[in-house]
Amino acid sequence: MFKTLDENGDGKLSYEEIKKGLKGRADEKELTNLMLAIDTDNNGFIEYNEFLAAAMGEELTFYKERLQQAFSLFDKDHSGKISLKELKRIIRKEFGEEDSYWVKMIQDADVNGDGELDFSEFLEIMNGIGTTK
């Protein structure tokens, strides 16, 4: 997408190139705000690294929002924490593990030692899925 917007091939996007690429989907104020937000070195252009950082930031925000939705599915009492009871209620239906398995899972992730998982602890579990130690 960056290369498509970069009409003159100079490796950076000017205000005019972005305006043309958006084809009227943003007004002058929105374009100016977009440039100000993405152009972190304030040189009046959006370089590829700035473009990438903005795109990744959006993707990370989307990912975190999805994890918040998943967290909310477990947090049935809306306390901001997942208890052993809540965890078992949802997951046992699918996996049927013994209580000791779920207790250990919470203990391993429970950084603050309150016996429940808050959102940051839940994030750590989810970010660890699929990684090797």
Side-chain angles (χ1 to χ4, degrees), residues 5 7 18 33 45 59 67 72 86 105-107 124:
L5 293 172
E7 288 187 332
I18 293 171
N33 288 337
F45 296 94
E59 187 175 309
L67 287 178
S72 295
E86 290 169 321
M105 177 189 266
I106 287 179
Q107 286 173 342
E124 288 300 315

Side-chain angles (χ1 to χ4, degrees), residues 38-115:
I38 298 175
D39 180 21
T40 57
D41 64 4
N42 299 312
N43 68 353
F45 296 94
I46 296 175
E47 284 88 11
Y48 184 68
N49 63 332
E50 293 169 326
F51 183 84
L52 225 98
M56 288 178 66
E58 219 173 278
E59 187 175 309
L60 290 174
T61 299
F62 177 75
Y63 174 70
K64 194 169 181 179
E65 287 170 358
R66 291 291 179 235
L67 287 178
Q68 183 64 57
Q69 290 172 346
F71 181 84
S72 295
L73 290 174
F74 287 96
D75 182 19
K76 292 293 187 187
D77 66 0
H78 308 290
S79 66
K81 297 183 179 214
I82 300 171
S83 68
L84 176 61
K85 182 179 177 183
E86 290 169 321
L87 184 66
K88 288 189 318 187
R89 183 181 307 137
I90 300 292
I91 295 184
R92 185 183 276 165
K93 292 176 187 175
E94 295 295 321
F95 300 103
E97 299 288 342
E98 297 295 319
D99 282 0
S100 60
Y101 178 85
W102 304 115
V103 169
K104 176 149 177 40
M105 177 189 266
I106 287 179
Q107 286 173 342
D108 289 349
D110 184 20
V111 175
N112 64 12
D114 66 356

